[in-house]
Amino acid sequence: MEGRYSRVEEEDLRFLREVVGPENVSTKGWELAVSSANAVSEIEGRAEAVVWPSSAEQVSKILAHCSERRIPVTPRGSGSSTSGNAAPVEGGIVINTRRMNRVLEVSREDLLAVVEPGVIYEELNVELRRLGLFFPPEPASGSVSTIGGMVGNNSSGFRAVKYGVTRDYIVGLEVVLPSGEVVRLGTRAPKSSIGYDLVRLFVGSEGTLGFFTKITLKLRPLPEARRTGICYAESAERASRAIFDVVASPARPSAVEYMDSRVLRLLVESGYPYREAGAALLLETDGTERAAEDEISRLESICRSHGNDFRRVEGGEEEALWKGRRSLGALVAKLSPAVIVGDVDVPVSKLPWMVEEIYRLGDEMKVGLVVFGHAGDGNLHVNILAGGTDEPSRRRAWDLYAKIMERTIEAGGAIAGEHGIGVEKREFMEAQHGRLALDLMRRVKEAVDPSWIMNPGKILPGPS
Ligand SMILES: Cc1cc2nc3c(=O)[nH]c(=O)nc-3n(C[C@H](O)[C@H](O)[C@H](O)COP(=O)(O)OP(=O)(O)OC[C@H]3O[C@@H](n4cnc5c(N)ncnc54)[C@H](O)[C@@H]3O)c2cc1C
């Protein structure tokens, strides 16, 4: 791919300044560094310029120019992706959505919101809460995640078990294509049967097909009540048996979080009000007062029927348990100078086997790791403690990562449940999808972005 792309020249910068105003283009070292890094991931980009447009029209001019000049373009929200998804690995320009941050419409009647891509997840929900509504697919990083980034990665979180993922909520998109054309996809209708679903194609495309400038989201009424319970099991196996029954129960929990003994110890040592056990499930129900109460009672019966201890929690303790769960990523990061974050998703029936297999591989390869996750939907966050930054430790850690990807695919799972492919998982795409399906994806990419300027180096290996 060497020589495929042009570098950003003074003439390009002049053009960008004309389009967005000189104060909205930067080539300052620190701004390029901030726009090139990715959270957690070791993948670093090397942006040559950062641009902050404020409208689809400006984005359209920029993309048309970059296509003609073959300058790589990386769309970017907060850059909190964990696999290098928003790192400009081929250089070029980063288009940051910070100035495209308006909530354009909220319709209580239609249960829809129309937003610009730079709106922050939590800020949107603060606004929606006043109307008794919410946008459910909450990532743990919701205080920084932009809606554009969530759509780019098809993000989700611990409530996906009941409410689904970002893709389930996107009904319309305005997208600037690499050519500069602006296409409007989808409808405002609650359901549709109108041919190829291009909205779903763009959701999860990680900025490789076009730039979202408007996003139409489905909303849900806020639940009236929530209930939390903690289930402690003697062994991972007993916890797993409870998970199967919980998931198959009509109670429909809004969260089923799995923590094994190592994770529980870490939480206890960090001062959170958990206790040590073989494994634990943090369970939540929501809905009307009556439904939330009735459902948590059913979950309690299920947990107890497998010989597990179950306790309802509320108030400060409930808050502290959830805070501990949300802090796990940060707590794990303190255990090792380098952590590789995996995010595999397997059929729920394979969950106990997968957890055991991951730890077995870690022991065999002498690499420490910590596993926790959204058990209700088979999603495991595998945190590989890469040990040192020296080459042999790093290599062992990445070898383990590759083995975990292999096992996930063998189990019929997905190598990424919610964090996307980025750069780190690209090499596993053929094993995941097969050669023919991957080739089909490549043909879609070629059709939409023939110059491969949109976020090159992500999802697919480069053009053949
Ligand atoms: C501590 C921590 C916890 C996390 N927890 C979760 C979690 O629970 N669930 C989860 O799903 N993820 C999680 N993540 C990953 C990440 O935070 C989410 O994927 C988040 O939604 C990304 O938002 P962002 O604004 O940072 O997007 P970015 O990282 O900036 O971008 C994400 C992708 O979308 C593309 N993109 C951004 N804007 C646009 C646009 N306007 N048009 C086209 N493409 C665009 C980018 O090119 C990139 O490929 C976590 C990350 C961290 C660091």
Side-chain angles (χ1 to χ4, degrees):
M1 281 173 46
E2 195 55 36
R4 181 177 182 88
Y5 297 112
S6 309
R7 291 192 60 80
V8 176
E9 307 288 353
E10 194 46 49
E11 192 184 310
D12 301 306
L13 293 172
R14 210 172 303 126
F15 173 82
L16 293 172
R17 288 184 192 116
E18 262 167 39
V19 174
V20 296
E23 67 285 13
N24 294 312
V25 178
S26 177
T27 53
K28 286 187 192 129
W30 68 270
E31 271 171 336
L32 298 184
V34 168
S35 298
S36 297
N38 245 217
V40 188
S41 165
E42 291 178 358
I43 306 292
E44 288 276 321
R46 45 186 181 89
E48 295 165 71
V50 192
V51 190
W52 292 273
S54 62
S55 68
E57 197 190 339
Q58 292 180 354
V59 174
S60 160
K61 286 182 183 159
I62 297 168
L63 292 197
H65 177 86
C66 289
S67 269
E68 201 185 308
R69 289 267 300 116
R70 291 184 174 259
I71 293 173
V73 173
T74 304
R76 188 171 170 107
S78 296
S80 69
S81 297
T82 59
S83 300
N85 319 31
V89 291
E90 293 286 346
I93 66 165
V94 165
I95 306 185
N96 187 296
T97 56
R98 194 176 65 205
R99 291 176 67 227
M100 302 181 78
N101 62 353
R102 289 175 305 162
V103 176
L104 301 170
E105 182 195 342
V106 177
S107 166
R108 204 161 175 278
E109 294 77 16
D110 292 334
L111 287 178
L112 290 179
V114 183
V115 303
E116 291 185 324
V119 170
I120 301 287
Y121 175 83
E122 241 176 55
E123 291 171 11
L124 172 64
N125 272 316
V126 167
E127 196 164 330
L128 295 175
R129 214 167 289 143
R130 288 193 221 113
L131 298 168
L133 302 172
F134 79 126
F135 173 49
E138 174 186 349
S141 52
S143 59
V144 296
S145 300
T146 61
I147 303 297
M150 288 181 66
V151 176
N153 286 348
N154 187 26
S155 302
S156 58
F158 58 83
R159 297 214 170 94
V161 62
K162 176 168 182 178
Y163 289 102
V165 302
T166 297
R167 185 174 272 128
D168 301 321
Y169 289 85
I170 309 303
V171 292
L173 284 175
E174 178 183 87
V175 185
V176 181
L177 299 175
S179 59
E181 294 162 293
V182 182
V183 61
R184 288 175 190 89
L185 306 171
T187 70
R188 290 171 62 99
K191 60 183 192 177
S192 65
S193 171
I194 52 174
Y196 299 138
D197 191 342
L198 296 180
V199 174
R200 287 180 84 85
L201 171 66
F202 276 85
V203 180
S205 60
E206 298 182 24
T208 62
L209 295 178
F211 193 101
F212 319 132
T213 43
K214 262 187 214 142
I215 301 162
T216 306
L217 314 164
K218 280 201 272 190
L219 306 174
R220 299 286 292 263
L222 260 183
E224 202 174 85
R226 293 192 200 283
R227 296 284 185 276
T228 297
I230 177 95
C231 164
Y232 289 108
E234 246 173 43
S235 64
E237 202 231 327
R238 280 205 178 175
S240 306
R241 275 193 260 133
I243 294 172
F244 299 149
D245 284 351
V246 162
V247 171
S249 129
R252 297 210 65 207
S254 47
V256 184
E257 293 299 300
Y258 175 81
M259 286 159 264
D260 69 9
S261 55
R262 303 183 206 203
V263 172
L264 288 170
R265 194 166 315 124
L266 177 63
L267 285 162
V268 171
E269 283 165 3
S270 307
Y272 290 100
Y274 286 87
R275 73 166 169 79
E276 294 207 22
L281 301 176
L282 186 60
L283 298 157
E284 184 196 72
T285 59
D286 71 0
T288 60
E289 284 283 347
R290 211 166 134 187
E293 186 58 33
D294 175 52
E295 291 180 349
I296 201 79
S297 301
R298 286 178 187 234
L299 300 186
E300 176 169 1
S301 306
I302 292 171
C303 291
R304 289 193 186 282
S305 73
H306 290 286
N308 300 321
D309 180 29
F310 184 97
R311 218 158 52 73
R312 293 206 199 179
V313 282
E314 50 188 31
E317 187 183 2
E318 179 183 17
E319 253 172 56
L321 289 180
W322 282 110
K323 190 168 174 213
R325 167 60 191 87
R326 286 195 176 91
S327 313
L328 271 176
L331 295 178
V332 170
K334 289 187 196 152
L335 297 179
S336 168
V339 178
I340 300 170
V341 180
D343 156 50
V344 299
D345 204 283
V346 293
V348 176
S349 62
K350 293 282 175 23
L351 206 67
W353 172 82
M354 192 68 201
V355 173
E356 212 169 282
E357 185 63 5
I358 290 170
Y359 278 123
R360 190 191 66 73
L361 286 168
D363 289 345
E364 188 181 290
M365 297 172 78
K366 300 191 175 26
V367 182
L369 39 79
V370 177
V371 184
F372 54 91
H374 315 306
D377 50 27
N379 197 185
L380 291 172
H381 294 315
V382 184
N383 295 264
I384 301 176
L385 311 178
T389 43
D390 59 291
E391 202 41 42
S393 306
R394 277 172 39 82
R395 202 169 331 109
R396 268 207 317 276
W398 282 110
D399 286 349
L400 172 61
Y401 185 81
K403 283 238 156 41
I404 293 170
M405 296 294 145
E406 274 170 30
R407 294 295 192 278
T408 301
I409 294 167
E410 276 166 33
I415 55 176
E418 46 186 42
H419 295 174
I421 299 300
V423 179
E424 284 176 0
K425 293 167 213 141
R426 250 179 1 163
E427 64 180 285
F428 308 107
M429 282 290 277
E430 186 167 332
Q432 173 80 78
H433 294 282
R435 205 160 47 80
L436 201 54
L438 195 62
D439 191 46
L440 199 54
M441 288 186 203
R442 197 173 279 122
R443 281 188 263 162
V444 170
K445 168 77 175 169
E446 298 265 358
V448 181
D449 181 19
S451 307
W452 286 67
I453 61 157
M454 293 305 298
N455 208 2
K458 314 301 160 58
I459 301 186
L460 299 170
S464 44

